[in-house]
Amino acid sequence: MLHELLLALLGYTGDLIIDRRDHLTADTPISYECTFKLAPDISFIDPSDRELIERIIVLGFYYREMERFSGKCRDLSWIRSANANPLEKKEKGSVYRRALANGIVEILSVYRSAVLHIEQKLLSENMPILATVTQGLNKFLCLLPPLYELILEIEHDDIRGGQLLNLLHKRCHCGVPELQTCMQRLLWHGHQVMYNQLASWIVYGILQDQYGEFFIRRQEDRDVENSSSHPDISEKLACMSTDDASLTDWHLGFHISLDMLPEYIPMRVAESILFAGKAVQREPAIHTGMGEDLLPQSEADKIEAMLLNLKESSEFHKRSFECAVDSVQAVAASHLWQLVVVRADLNGHLKALKDYFLLAKGDFFQCFLEESRQLMRLPPRQSTAEADLMVPFQLAALKTIGEEDKYFSKVSLRMPSFGITVKPSLLDLPKPTSSVDGSSGASLSNALSEMSVDGWDGIALEYSVDWPLHLFFTQEVLSKYLRIFQYLLRLKRTQMELEKLWASVMHQYHSDFPKHRNDQEKCSEAQQKRQRFRPMWRVREHMAFLVRNLQFYIQVDVIESQWNILQSHIQESHDFTELVGFHQEYLSALISQTFLDIGSVSRILDSIMKLCLQFCWNIENQDNCSNTSELEHIAEEFNKKSNSLYTILRSSRLAGSQRAPFLRRFLLRLNLNSFFEATARGVLNVVRPRPTLPVLN
């Protein structure tokens, strides 16, 4: 009976202790209830002893089930069978479950030693069997049931990877010291795998995660799961160039898997780990011939030493772990700063983006707009618009760009395909019809609102960046630069058209004066005509005044001031992640202080620019106009829009906020003689008569 009982405690049943489940195999699932029981035909055991035996043999059941679980997790025979028959369906492996199984085997070995010690004690001394067994295994009655429930939950919910670490970490918080020690040991085994993966990722940039259990994961793993619905993904990945693959690896190649991120590791720490691994990847550095790895061997040794100290600790200390990760992130960020800022000349590229995307090279864009002025009077041809623009673009470059500008070659002009139907020019607007109720003004306003963009407003610039600069100049960053560029180019084009209109008319007056000065009648007629056109020139001057001040505000108060702030940050910082943050603040300040993120203001500004262009083109084509009602409507619409703009900008929500610290200067220039304030008040409170413009003969 003694050996029957001891064998049952080690999972081997017989005639005395039987198992209700027969013919167990490796694939037999873990039972949810104890199947060990005392044989019912045993009559020589007292009921009290029978109850005690059945209470003890539960440990044997737990032992056997945990041993089966450990053996299944540690079995590597499926690797050989999978290699021999690739088509055979294979079991999904888990290195974290193997680590847990190693910890369970350790605990079970202690249990086996206790059973062996009981056997030796009973054989050497004449002692009560059941009392000795119960006394020797009493502590395991508190340990094995929770461990058995643990493996049941793992098997039932298919828990693995970071989820398994999270579960073990929660089970460590209990009031039984022995059980807490066991759970901490199991968690330690799981952390050994995590630290090995961290060392591979952080030190060498290699993701060792065969079964998708690490909280850093390749993006293509998600794509592969969706490959049935997106069969062209593999073709796209195969067609990518080396440079594109490097860029994709940095921005989209890896991500944090929230499912596998343990709850006790903050997102900030996980992002630092993600950044450090991406920063030390060696493959991109080899592609560009940088000549050496980003992370020197001495720094790599320091990082490995820190991770080794964490591995050897018997308990997981969150603060020590976070400090180690922060140190690693700081090392990677510092070396990446050296690579991007110093070797790749980040500041030179920032200056180039300022010159071309923020129109700091005003002479170049002035020349480009003058050379392309006649071209932009015609509707853009979808097939040749970009090629047509290249001629004035290259001419402007020859006239204004010197050979010492090594960054101009990275700038290219693009005219995207039209995805929407646009009016080729503002001259194609429907002519308003005169009516006593002012419906013509409404039709003009509706026409302006329907026409979202001018055909040439889609002009775009592209900037070519190489590794490692595309770690800094992401597609999102370049799209923000492009948005600002298109806005500034429209503004400069508007300002140029207003200036050209005045120069053209003055040239015409000066040309006509010598012809008519000896003819008293024609001279008097010219003077009267000049008098009649004065209201029209006042409108033009108001337009030019607003556009000039808006340009000055954007270029001087916004762009130059923010550029100086960015430069001071670049000089003071030696951390790549800090520089990325400073640059994002720089772009956000440009967008917010130029009101591109305020829909109501940006729409008014767009409308004002369109009205100015339409005014210029209508004046130059006045001989083809049958009446001047359209000019009157343009003037009226401009007054409304400009006064609405002033009213919005001077509101306490904008003028009193920190989002536009130099807005008060802009408002002061606009309202230097209180004209805008008076007219804005009049628009809001008084119905003013429409300005009357002369009827052209």
Side-chain angles (χ1 to χ4, degrees), residues 471-486:
L471 308 183
F472 192 88
F473 297 116
T474 65
Q475 287 301 316
E476 179 186 2
V477 166
L478 292 178
S479 66
K480 290 181 179 179
Y481 272 108
L482 177 59
R483 183 183 177 190
I484 300 172
F485 163 76
Q486 291 179 328

